[in-house]
Amino acid sequence: MDIDAWVWWLIGAAALGIPLVLTAMPELGMLSVGAVAGAVTAGLGGGTVLQVVVFAAVSVALIAVVRPVAARQRSQRPELATGVDALKGRTAVVLERVDGSGGRIKLAGEIWSARALDTDQAYEAGHEVDVVEIDGATAIVM
């Protein structure tokens, strides 16, 4: 039983695709696409050397182009902040005096406990303050 070369390339592509799913290593997917390109080359009648060259060229090109783009995307912060991250940098109104030991503010329509970032600073009711960070359920303001 003689199996055509393109079938072997597709078997190789599938063999690379399975660990891709199990390990989430995108490089394996790029090698799998290279194997599919090798299968297409074999199906069009290309010789063994051409098949290997096409496989290598497509795989290397994908890794060289896609990996840096993926790394750049992974290192960027998401543009849409949610949860407590969305509250950092917002302005709040002091409801009860806020100093180093505590107080209350109205932040994003909700009442929050708050503490002054500078323990010597105090903010009276009605003042606007900026939220620097959230520590548990307490907003740190200045």
Side-chain angles (χ1 to χ4, degrees), residues 19-66:
L20 164 68
V21 172
L22 297 175
T23 64
M25 289 182 59
E27 292 82 3
L28 293 172
M30 295 172 213
L31 291 172
S32 182
V33 171
V36 170
V40 169
T41 304
L44 293 175
T48 304
V49 173
L50 182 61
Q51 295 169 31
V52 172
V53 168
V54 168
F55 165 73
V58 169
S59 298
V60 169
L62 283 172
I63 290 172
V65 171
V66 174

Side-chain angles (χ1 to χ4, degrees), residues 4-140:
D4 292 335
W6 65 270
V7 174
W8 285 112
W9 281 109
L10 290 180
I11 291 169
L16 289 167
I18 292 169
L20 164 68
V21 172
L22 297 175
T23 64
M25 289 182 59
E27 292 82 3
L28 293 172
M30 295 172 213
L31 291 172
S32 182
V33 171
V36 170
V40 169
T41 304
L44 293 175
T48 304
V49 173
L50 182 61
Q51 295 169 31
V52 172
V53 168
V54 168
F55 165 73
V58 169
S59 298
V60 169
L62 283 172
I63 290 172
V65 171
V66 174
R67 278 189 79 207
V69 172
R72 193 171 34 250
Q73 289 292 87
R74 192 178 18 213
S75 67
Q76 291 178 347
R77 286 187 55 128
E79 292 182 21
L80 177 63
T82 60
V84 294
D85 289 332
L87 299 175
K88 293 177 186 175
R90 303 253 331 239
T91 302
V93 177
V94 176
L95 298 177
E96 297 174 11
R97 178 185 165 102
V98 175
D99 55 23
S101 62
R104 296 227 178 266
I105 60 171
K106 187 167 190 172
L107 172 62
E110 297 179 351
I111 309 251
W112 281 73
S113 61
R115 189 173 67 239
L117 178 64
D118 180 3
T119 56
D120 296 333
Q121 186 72 33
Y123 305 99
E124 299 299 327
H127 281 88
E128 287 190 354
V129 292
D130 293 322
V131 177
V132 177
E133 66 179 84
I134 304 291
D135 181 21
T138 302
I140 311 300

